[in-house]
Amino acid sequence: MDKGNDVVPPLEKGRSPKRRNYGHFHQESGPNHFCKVILAPKLESLPLPLDFTKHFPAIPIEFKLKTNTGCAWRVTVRVIDGRVTLDQGWAIFAAVHQIMIGYMLTFKTLSPDTMKVIVFNDEGVEVITKCKEHDNAFAATA
C-alpha cells in the first residue's frame, strides 16, 4: 500500500471514533488538597470548601488531623448550613497551634477520615508546634 492510503479497520459496534490512549488514564476522583487562609478571629469551627467536600463518598463523624510533628488530633465533623465543618476539637487545635489572622493552613486527605494539616504563619513560614507530650519525651531523654 502507498503511504497515507492505509486501511483503517471498522469500529466495533458502540465504540467511539476518538483516539484512545492505552498507556495513560485517570481515575474519577476529586481533589485531595485544599488550603484556608484565616481571615477572621472566629475559630470555633472551620467550614471546609464545598468543591472539596462534594467529592466525599461519605461524610465521616470525625477527622483525625495529623500535624508535621507526628501528633494527631480528633475533631468532630458537623454539617452546618449545608457545609461540612470541623467542629468540636477544632478550637483547641487552633489555640494550641496559635493560629491567627493571616495564617494559612494546608490540608491533604490521607484516608477517608484522616487529613494532614500544615500551618504557615503570616510570613509563609511553616509553624512547628510541639505538644506537651513531645516536651515530656525530650525531658526524659535528657
Side-chain angles (χ1 to χ4, degrees):
M1 280 195 223
D2 293 328
K3 191 172 186 177
N5 293 330
D6 295 339
V7 176
V8 178
L11 289 174
E12 295 175 25
K13 191 173 188 175
R15 300 273 311 233
S16 166
K18 290 183 180 177
R19 195 162 204 199
R20 301 228 184 260
N21 187 347
Y22 290 100
H24 181 246
F25 67 94
H26 294 271
Q27 285 185 312
E28 292 298 319
S29 65
N32 65 354
H33 287 82
F34 72 91
C35 72
K36 286 286 254 190
V37 175
I38 304 302
L39 300 174
K42 184 180 173 186
L43 292 171
E44 291 86 33
S45 62
L46 184 75
L48 305 183
L50 289 171
D51 283 342
F52 181 75
T53 58
K54 72 181 180 184
H55 299 284
F56 285 5
I59 299 170
I61 326 172
E62 69 179 22
F63 270 113
K64 188 186 321 178
L65 304 179
K66 289 192 170 189
T67 66
N68 51 6
T69 61
C71 290
W73 296 77
R74 291 193 188 282
V75 177
T76 63
V77 175
R78 205 165 62 140
V79 177
I80 302 173
D81 297 328
R83 295 187 69 175
V84 176
T85 303
L86 299 179
D87 192 32
Q88 291 181 355
W90 174 253
I92 295 168
F93 179 91
V96 167
H97 291 87
Q98 301 174 357
I99 297 171
M100 297 184 268
I101 293 174
Y103 277 35
M104 182 184 78
L105 293 81
T106 62
F107 294 79
K108 177 184 180 182
T109 304
L110 300 177
S111 72
D113 65 348
T114 306
M115 287 193 284
K116 169 95 179 203
V117 181
I118 300 175
V119 179
F120 296 88
N121 67 17
D122 56 358
E123 294 183 3
V125 177
E126 183 178 7
V127 176
I128 310 282
T129 305
K130 294 182 178 169
C131 66
K132 290 182 181 181
E133 280 70 24
H134 281 104
D135 293 337
N136 293 340
F138 293 132
T141 59

